[in-house]
Amino acid sequence: MALVGVQGTVVDIDVHIGGMPGFTLVGLPDASLYEARDRVRAAILSSGERWPLQKITASLSPAALPKRGSHFDLGVAVAVLSAAEELPEAAIEDVVFIGELGLDGRLRSVPGVLPAVLAASKAGVRRVVVPERNAREASQVPGVHVLGARSLRQVLAFLRGADMPDEPPEEHVALPDSLPHDPGLDLADVAGQEEAKRAVEVAAAGHHHLLLEGPPGAGKTMLARRLPGLLPDLSTEESLEVTAIHSVAAVLPPDRPLVIRPPFADPHHSASPVSIIGGGSRIVRPGAISLAHRGVLFLDEAPEFNRQVIESLREPLENGKIVVSRAATTAVFPASFLLVLAQNPCECGNHGSRYRECECTPYSVRRYRQRVSGPVRDRIDIYRRVLPPSMADIDLRLQIAETTKAVAERVAIARERQTRRLADTPWRVNSEVPMAFLKREFPLPGEVTAPAYEKLRQGTVTARGADRIVRLAWTVADLAGHGRPTRDDVHVAIGLRVGDR
């Protein structure tokens, strides 16, 4: 299987044997694949098999498709032995072989197994051989028989119908965690901030992007980190989609072969554009925005991020995907995330505070806020100013604060309403629905939407902003149990969109 991004293509490996001794690999292999010649020869000899003392030509087709990675090793080794008539031809027909070979014939795990097996299944392949540590990951694809092997010797025994020799398991190599959400985080831990909590709840219910602005210590980061706990579990389709991305990025732990909870990514503001957007010179890898697919992307101290990073969010915010183009290839990664931005009101963080003096000039305050451009801000659905909690809020927080579980139940009910309303459509939540579809299929009376378009006439919001107010009103209505938004729901949505700016 050849992977470009998370899209896989079946590769046929043809081997010809004849002529003076040598080994040639053709079909646009990269450096790691070209080195497979030496790994395959050593692995076959270490497995007690005979190496053909003739010219070996291995062709990987389609020839025009670039091939990258060491996961072709096992397929090349099997093809060489089959061409040498050491394996029955029927045993390898319509089987996909994935795995890197060690010089001793051991099979080593590789990234990207899940998207490769998904693509193989769509191509009609029903048998797959993978390294043992990738077997659970590959088994998530229904209808595919997966053999997890520890070595080339075990694979050959399986193909010959012989007893499989016992081999020691591959040594465990610790991998970075796949962006888990800490289940111990509870919304009840946040003192006060009832309006901000309401904004977070609406953002979770309708998948609306959120901007939190306030001084240091007000609770912006606490709120953002508790947002994933309000989201429902991923569906089966979403789990496979998210897991495939994490598999390609090599951050999927072997003991958790399927991502069930929405991921949470919070890159540091010093992170490079490639690490957040995706890319790479040789193999294109997904960035943080794709690792947050179907989850939350949190950019703390948003104005401190590279401006190129902030501006690059425009495409995924509109289309739910990111196209990464390089000289040799172009990869498309899913990137439908819930964006949460947090920022201070100024560089010192005290602008507008009643208790601390701001040392910034009016020009520096304006310049600091403009680091997040107007076009990006216009794509943010909810704006909320977060002020420091009072002593009364801190004293009463344990008595009256709602738990994450209670709020998540309301979010789940609102999501169910959207699922029923948007059945048989490509959209899942209110924020994804085009306004043309809403106006055609679920028209609202003019007196209901009038406040939103009055803001447009006043110049308070743009045309995009007015449309987002209407979509916000649908989410507010879903949380309130209304069949359709009321005028009051639209006013609430205006407050969420405009805030107290």
Side-chain angles (χ1 to χ4, degrees):
M1 302 300 302
L3 287 176
V4 179
V6 293
Q7 305 299 320
T9 302
V10 176
V11 173
D12 291 323
I13 304 177
D14 302 321
V15 172
H16 176 267
I17 298 178
M20 297 297 292
F23 194 173
T24 302
L25 193 63
V26 297
L28 294 184
D30 72 340
S32 62
L33 177 53
Y34 195 72
E35 292 171 353
R37 302 175 305 163
D38 300 318
R39 290 194 300 270
V40 167
R41 184 178 185 275
I44 288 178
L45 292 174
S46 298
S47 301
E49 301 292 330
R50 291 186 300 174
W51 181 257
L53 297 179
Q54 293 176 284
K55 174 71 173 180
I56 299 174
T57 303
S59 174
L60 282 65
S61 61
L65 179 69
K67 321 296 187 308
R68 298 179 175 87
S70 60
H71 61 278
F72 290 94
D73 289 3
L74 181 58
V76 173
V78 170
V80 169
L81 292 174
S82 176
E85 299 182 350
E86 298 290 339
L87 290 173
E89 185 176 343
I92 65 171
E93 186 176 354
D94 294 329
V95 183
V96 162
F97 297 89
I98 302 173
E100 176 185 331
L101 286 173
L103 300 183
D104 58 354
R106 298 283 300 281
L107 264 180
R108 305 186 186 279
S109 55
V110 292
V113 167
L114 180 60
V117 177
L118 280 170
S121 176
K122 292 179 181 178
V125 176
R126 291 294 172 261
R127 291 193 297 165
V128 178
V129 179
V130 299
E132 185 183 51
R133 294 191 66 82
N134 294 126
R136 289 184 62 191
E137 179 184 344
S139 298
Q140 303 302 319
V141 182
V144 176
H145 178 266
V146 177
L147 170 67
R150 297 179 179 178
S151 67
L152 177 60
R153 287 180 289 273
Q154 287 190 342
V155 174
L156 299 180
F158 168 74
L159 295 176
R160 290 165 176 163
D163 293 335
M164 294 179 62
D166 188 28
E167 300 277 4
E170 179 184 353
E171 294 182 2
H172 174 69
V173 178
L175 294 175
D177 213 338
S178 56
L179 312 179
H181 167 65
D182 185 352
L185 299 178
D186 198 301
L187 203 59
D189 298 333
V190 182
Q193 309 296 6
E194 297 306 318
E195 291 185 358
K197 289 180 181 178
R198 175 63 174 171
V200 169
E201 179 181 345
V202 174
H207 202 269
H208 298 287
H209 307 304
L210 173 66
L211 189 152
L212 300 172
E213 180 180 305
K220 304 184 297 295
T221 302
M222 290 183 69
L223 288 165
R225 291 188 179 278
R226 283 152 179 78
L227 196 155
L230 306 180
L231 301 176
D233 289 344
L234 300 175
S235 65
T236 302
E237 179 185 353
E238 291 171 337
S239 291
L240 290 174
E241 193 176 22
V242 172
T243 305
I245 299 172
H246 289 204
S247 176
V248 169
V251 295
L252 186 67
D255 57 342
R256 288 201 298 274
L258 191 65
V259 179
I260 299 175
R261 290 293 302 155
F264 178 77
D266 57 340
H268 191 261
H269 59 75
S270 62
S272 67
V274 170
S275 68
I276 296 179
I277 301 166
S281 58
R282 187 173 59 88
I283 298 178
V284 179
R285 299 291 190 189
I289 64 174
S290 295
L291 294 175
H293 181 60
R294 302 298 179 193
V296 177
L297 175 66
F298 176 44
L299 300 186
D300 201 3
E301 304 296 343
E304 302 296 336
F305 278 82
N306 187 306
R307 187 175 182 86
Q308 178 186 351
V309 170
I310 299 296
E311 293 303 314
S312 67
L313 296 178
R314 294 193 198 184
E315 178 187 350
L317 288 178
E318 290 290 336
N319 305 325
K321 63 182 180 181
I322 183 72
V323 180
V324 181
S325 297
R326 295 294 182 266
T329 186
T330 297
V332 180
F333 293 107
S336 179
F337 51 83
L338 196 165
L339 177 64
V340 180
L341 301 180
Q343 67 176 55
N344 295 329
C346 64
E347 290 184 342
C348 75
N350 297 326
H351 181 73
S353 173
R354 293 177 294 175
Y355 308 106
R356 299 178 181 177
E357 182 179 357
C358 177
E359 301 176 352
C360 304
T361 64
Y363 171 74
S364 67
V365 172
R366 185 170 63 253
R367 182 182 61 183
Y368 182 79
R369 290 184 171 180
Q370 288 175 347
R371 292 180 186 175
V372 179
S373 68
V376 174
R377 286 176 176 267
D378 200 38
R379 289 166 169 82
I380 305 297
D381 297 335
I382 302 174
Y383 173 92
R384 179 55 48 194
R385 188 183 298 276
V386 183
L387 299 177
S390 64
M391 289 302 301
D393 290 333
I394 296 175
D395 292 338
L396 293 175
R397 64 177 178 177
L398 296 179
Q399 301 178 21
I400 62 175
E402 279 193 301
T403 63
T404 291
K405 181 179 179 181
V407 179
E409 290 175 354
R410 291 200 298 268
V411 170
I413 294 173
R415 287 285 185 108
E416 290 174 3
R417 291 177 178 274
Q418 295 168 61
T419 299
R420 290 195 298 269
R421 184 168 60 247
L422 300 175
D424 302 324
T425 73
W427 308 292
R428 298 176 175 86
V429 288
N430 290 328
S431 65
E432 299 175 347
V433 183
M435 275 305 298
F437 177 84
L438 276 180
K439 291 179 179 179
R440 182 177 67 253
E441 301 296 332
F442 303 100
L444 297 176
E447 60 270 16
V448 172
T449 59
Y453 293 105
E454 179 61 28
K455 291 293 182 182
L456 174 61
R457 285 189 289 271
Q458 294 173 357
T460 306
V461 299
T462 64
R464 179 191 289 116
D467 290 344
R468 290 180 180 269
I469 288 174
V470 175
R471 287 198 284 258
L472 268 172
W474 275 98
T475 301
V476 173
D478 288 332
L479 285 168
H482 301 159
R484 296 202 174 201
T486 64
R487 189 180 178 93
D488 288 340
D489 294 333
V490 174
H491 278 295
V492 172
I494 291 174
L496 290 168
R497 171 72 184 182
V498 179
D500 51 1
R501 281 177 287 183

